[in-house]
Amino acid sequence: MSQLSRRNFNIMLGATGAATLASTAIGTFAYAQGKGRVVIIGGGAGGGTVAHLVKKGAPGLDVTLVEANAQYTSCFFSNLYLGGFRSFESITHSYDGLKKLGVNVVTDYATGVDSAKKTVTLRGGATLAYDKLVLSPGIDFKWGGIEGYSDDAAQMMPHAWKAGAQTQVLKKQLEAMKAGGTVIMSPPPNPFRCPPGPYERASMIASYLKANKPGSKLIIMDPKPKFSKQALFQEGWAAHYQDIIEWVPPDLTGGGVKKVDAKAMTVTTGDGETVKADVANIIPAQMAGKIVHVAGCSDGDWCPINPADFSSTKVKDIYVIGDASIAKKMPKSGFSANSQAKVVANSVLAALAGKKKFPARYRNTCWSLISANNGVKVGASYKAGADMVEVNSKFISKTGETAELRKQTFEESLDWYTAMTNEMFAKG
Amino acid sequence: MPGSGFIRVMLMLKNLAFVIATSMAALTSLAAFANEEREYGEYLAGECTSCHRDGANETIPPIVGYEVWAFVSLMDTYRNGERDNQAMVSVAKSLDEEQIKALAIYFASVEPKGN
């Protein structure tokens, strides 16, 4: 090879390299636009976030979000509405942002999944084909754990554990209650959506009673001997609601509330004691939303998943996230669902739009409000392993913190709420 | 010493071609590397954006548009105990150096929208 020809060869190499680079870049671009159908069932913290991130990541993908309600009322912060710290409107969100982004939002109820044909059927009659299906249905109730408690009974004794109309029923009942009345709360057995939720709710109801219904009582008949953030809540209750909240552990009631009579407004404990309530908030035992069972993804009440990406261990091309999944140490919370959704979005984009798949990272933080400007938090990051254990990062607010720090923690929760709902609904 | 002028010119051209080729390769891989880091940072940023949003001006501040060094130093202050917000200490301690760098590169690349 002569000097001259070697020079040409080098230049040619450079040109070929550049051409290869350009063609790869063009190829990647076309691929990144994506081709394929993604169906997501459930428009909450998990499903909304996946829809947003997948559509944003690959606008060419056909993304359909199936949600039974035209508007979404968040469970998180619904206790603050009961306490009078948030309006109902402020916790209710539209799907307009997702629609504007190009997500096909279908207000319907998914009734069937054919995992062989890879289709979803809707109550309205439509059939949707998918390449990847994401199930994020949240919870359903296990009626039957408390005798006499049913969907009908819940109209008089609201659970308010799916936010919306039920939350408003409970609020109206509290407002209509006479001063000096009795509120009875029956928290659910483990595992359930939002572990600190019942105790934040107790705090918020007590705050409302203290200001508006003097002389009233709130009796919590718990089927569990201990609960999330217990020391923090009990410290707060002693300081603010000493004469209002009475938490009764299961050994004093024979295991909590076992029977209700919604017409008579009475609850009966495992020990056989019957108590009359002015307002009864009965939160039943829970399981994954119905569609995961129909799809064959569940093993008992909940769905086993692969920790690396929350794909179902039972059915190919289906992911299960949020409350419905078995995430071991990771609690059932909106924050968890949002965190899992990000890993799923990355996995879907890798499969259908040629994006790079990164190792999973999971995180949760749960804030609770005890009284005005008195917020506490608990959180951790989780390792994507068999037990989803916390990695050297677990934290919880301390008892005896200053009022200034508690106020800051509460204010953090306000910022988190805005950021997270922006992400869920592609707002802002 | 090279012989004729022709050979000298040829050698210069050869060297120039080599320099161009290797520079291009280096630039390409550098760009690919930076792009990969930014992409990784964008993925990792999902953990931040559950709480931090652009346009925020309250307790949880916006974090887009930070210079790389500023972001890395800020994360250091949570890792060395200078700052003590529990959630941020937990986040900072769960990330390794490479991940913090990727995050810094990503956030530096995002233009803040402001309020």
Side-chain angles (χ1 to χ4, degrees), chain A residues 7 21 338 342-343 346 356 358-361 363 377 381 393 395-397 411-412 415-416 418-420 423, chain B residues 13 17 28 36 39-40 43-44 46-47 49-51 53 58-60 85-87 90-91 94-95 99:
Chain A
R7 190 197 89 170
L21 186 73
N338 170 262
K342 288 166 183 172
V343 174
N346 179 243
K356 191 165 176 188
F358 295 106
R361 286 180 60 84
R363 174 166 292 279
K377 62 187 172 186
S381 61
S393 58
F395 64 89
I396 183 163
S397 298
E411 286 169 353
E412 266 175 27
D415 281 350
W416 159 74
T418 309
M420 185 152 119
E423 228 173 42
Chain B
L13 281 174
T28 305
E36 216 166 86
E39 201 184 344
Y40 186 33
Y43 167 73
L44 292 170
E47 200 165 325
T49 55
S50 300
C51 300
R53 74 191 155 88
E58 295 170 50
T59 310
I60 300 180
N85 183 294
Q86 288 175 303
S90 166
V91 169
S94 74
L95 295 163
Q99 290 169 327

Side-chain angles (χ1 to χ4, degrees), chain A residues 3-4 6-7 10-11 13-15 17-18 21 56 335 338-339 342-343 346 354-356 358-363 365 367 377 379-381 391-398 401 407-409 411-420 422-423 428, chain B residues 6-7 9-11 13-18 20-21 24 28-29 32 36-54 56-61 84-96 99 103 106 113:
Chain A
Q3 300 279 6
L4 195 65
R6 185 175 289 174
R7 190 197 89 170
N10 278 342
I11 288 172
L13 239 183
L21 186 73
K56 191 173 147 198
F335 198 119
N338 170 262
S339 169
K342 288 166 183 172
V343 174
N346 179 243
K355 298 270 173 132
K356 191 165 176 188
F358 295 106
R361 286 180 60 84
Y362 302 108
R363 174 166 292 279
T365 305
W367 285 269
K377 62 187 172 186
S381 61
V391 240
N392 189 27
S393 58
K394 199 175 174 180
F395 64 89
I396 183 163
S397 298
K398 298 180 177 72
E401 285 174 340
K407 183 167 184 279
Q408 190 195 322
T409 303
E411 286 169 353
E412 266 175 27
S413 74
L414 300 178
D415 281 350
W416 159 74
Y417 186 92
T418 309
M420 185 152 119
N422 279 3
E423 228 173 42
Chain B
F6 177 76
I7 291 170
V9 169
M10 281 301 102
L11 268 174
L13 281 174
K14 180 196 159 193
N15 288 341
L16 187 65
F18 178 75
I20 290 172
M24 271 189 70
T28 305
S29 66
E36 216 166 86
E37 275 213 309
R38 189 192 174 278
E39 201 184 344
Y40 186 33
E42 185 175 12
Y43 167 73
L44 292 170
E47 200 165 325
C48 312
T49 55
S50 300
C51 300
H52 292 270
R53 74 191 155 88
D54 193 5
N57 194 20
E58 295 170 50
T59 310
I60 300 180
D84 61 1
N85 183 294
Q86 288 175 303
M88 279 311 303
V89 169
S90 166
V91 169
K93 286 191 171 168
S94 74
L95 295 163
D96 63 27
Q99 290 169 327
L103 278 166
Y106 170 68
K113 275 188 287 187

Side-chain angles (χ1 to χ4, degrees), chain A residues 320-359:
Chain A
V320 182
I321 53 171
D323 297 345
S325 65
I326 300 173
K328 301 290 175 68
K329 286 268 188 183
M330 204 175 178
K332 298 185 187 303
S333 73
F335 198 119
S336 292
N338 170 262
S339 169
Q340 294 154 8
K342 288 166 183 172
V343 174
V344 168
N346 179 243
S347 176
V348 169
L349 289 168
L352 301 180
K355 298 270 173 132
K356 191 165 176 188
K357 189 169 177 175
F358 295 106

Side-chain angles (χ1 to χ4, degrees), chain A residues 61 73 77 92 111 139 149 155 177 223 244 265 274 308 320 330 345 360 364 367 369 399 416 421:
Chain A
L61 288 177
T73 303
F77 273 30
T92 301
T111 51
I139 53 156
Y149 197 63
Q155 301 312 308
M177 191 183 88
I244 301 172
M265 283 299 284
T274 297
V320 182
M330 204 175 178
N364 176 61
W367 285 269
L369 186 61
T399 53
W416 159 74
T421 50

Side-chain angles (χ1 to χ4, degrees), chain A residues 302-318:
Chain A
W302 312 98
C303 301
I305 48 84
N306 292 305
D309 62 1
F310 274 68
S311 55
S312 167
T313 58
K314 303 194 72 180
V315 187
K316 200 170 171 283
D317 294 319
I318 299 184

Side-chain angles (χ1 to χ4, degrees), chain A residues 151-425:
Chain A
D151 212 359
D152 283 343
Q155 301 312 308
M156 288 162 278
M157 295 180 155
H159 51 76
W161 217 243
K162 287 186 185 181
Q166 274 279 303
T167 324
Q168 288 176 304
V169 171
L170 180 55
K171 175 83 169 161
K172 280 190 186 121
Q173 287 189 352
L174 290 167
E175 286 169 352
M177 191 183 88
K178 63 180 190 290
T182 301
V183 180
I184 290 176
M185 173 190 274
S186 171
N190 291 324
F192 63 97
R193 160 181 284 180
C194 190
Y199 312 97
E200 179 188 56
R201 174 170 293 177
S203 309
M204 290 293 93
I205 290 176
S207 173
Y208 174 78
L209 298 177
K210 189 176 179 178
N212 300 285
K213 309 284 173 180
S216 299
K217 292 258 183 211
L218 167 58
I219 305 167
I220 308 166
M221 295 180 173
D222 210 321
K224 307 178 296 300
K226 55 180 189 170
F227 57 88
S228 171
K229 299 177 183 163
Q230 186 162 353
L232 294 165
F233 281 117
Q234 289 184 327
E235 176 195 47
W237 295 346
H240 301 282
Y241 314 121
Q242 180 77 55
D243 301 326
I244 301 172
I245 294 179
E246 186 188 350
W247 178 71
V248 189
D251 55 333
L252 299 182
T253 57
V257 173
K258 295 293 181 191
K259 188 177 164 185
V260 298
D261 184 334
K263 285 200 178 102
M265 283 299 284
T266 58
V267 308
T268 303
T269 65
D271 282 344
E273 191 190 349
T274 297
V275 185
K276 175 102 172 64
D278 293 293
V279 174
N281 177 207
I282 308 296
I283 310 166
Q286 294 156 29
M287 60 181 179
K290 194 173 174 187
I291 194 67
V292 300
H293 306 289
V294 173
C297 293
S298 59
D299 186 0
D301 290 337
W302 312 98
C303 301
I305 48 84
N306 292 305
D309 62 1
F310 274 68
S311 55
S312 167
T313 58
K314 303 194 72 180
V315 187
K316 200 170 171 283
D317 294 319
I318 299 184
Y319 300 87
V320 182
I321 53 171
D323 297 345
S325 65
I326 300 173
K328 301 290 175 68
K329 286 268 188 183
M330 204 175 178
K332 298 185 187 303
S333 73
F335 198 119
S336 292
N338 170 262
S339 169
Q340 294 154 8
K342 288 166 183 172
V343 174
V344 168
N346 179 243
S347 176
V348 169
L349 289 168
L352 301 180
K355 298 270 173 132
K356 191 165 176 188
K357 189 169 177 175
F358 295 106
R361 286 180 60 84
Y362 302 108
R363 174 166 292 279
N364 176 61
T365 305
C366 287
W367 285 269
S368 302
L369 186 61
I370 296 175
S371 59
N373 290 317
N374 181 10
V376 291
K377 62 187 172 186
V378 63
S381 61
Y382 298 85
K383 192 177 161 65
D387 293 320
M388 298 290 288
V389 291
E390 300 95 340
V391 240
N392 189 27
S393 58
K394 199 175 174 180
F395 64 89
I396 183 163
S397 298
K398 298 180 177 72
T399 53
E401 285 174 340
T402 62
E404 190 192 1
L405 179 54
R406 290 294 177 86
K407 183 167 184 279
Q408 190 195 322
T409 303
F410 169 61
E411 286 169 353
E412 266 175 27
S413 74
L414 300 178
D415 281 350
W416 159 74
Y417 186 92
T418 309
M420 185 152 119
T421 50
N422 279 3
E423 228 173 42
M424 287 164 62
F425 304 110

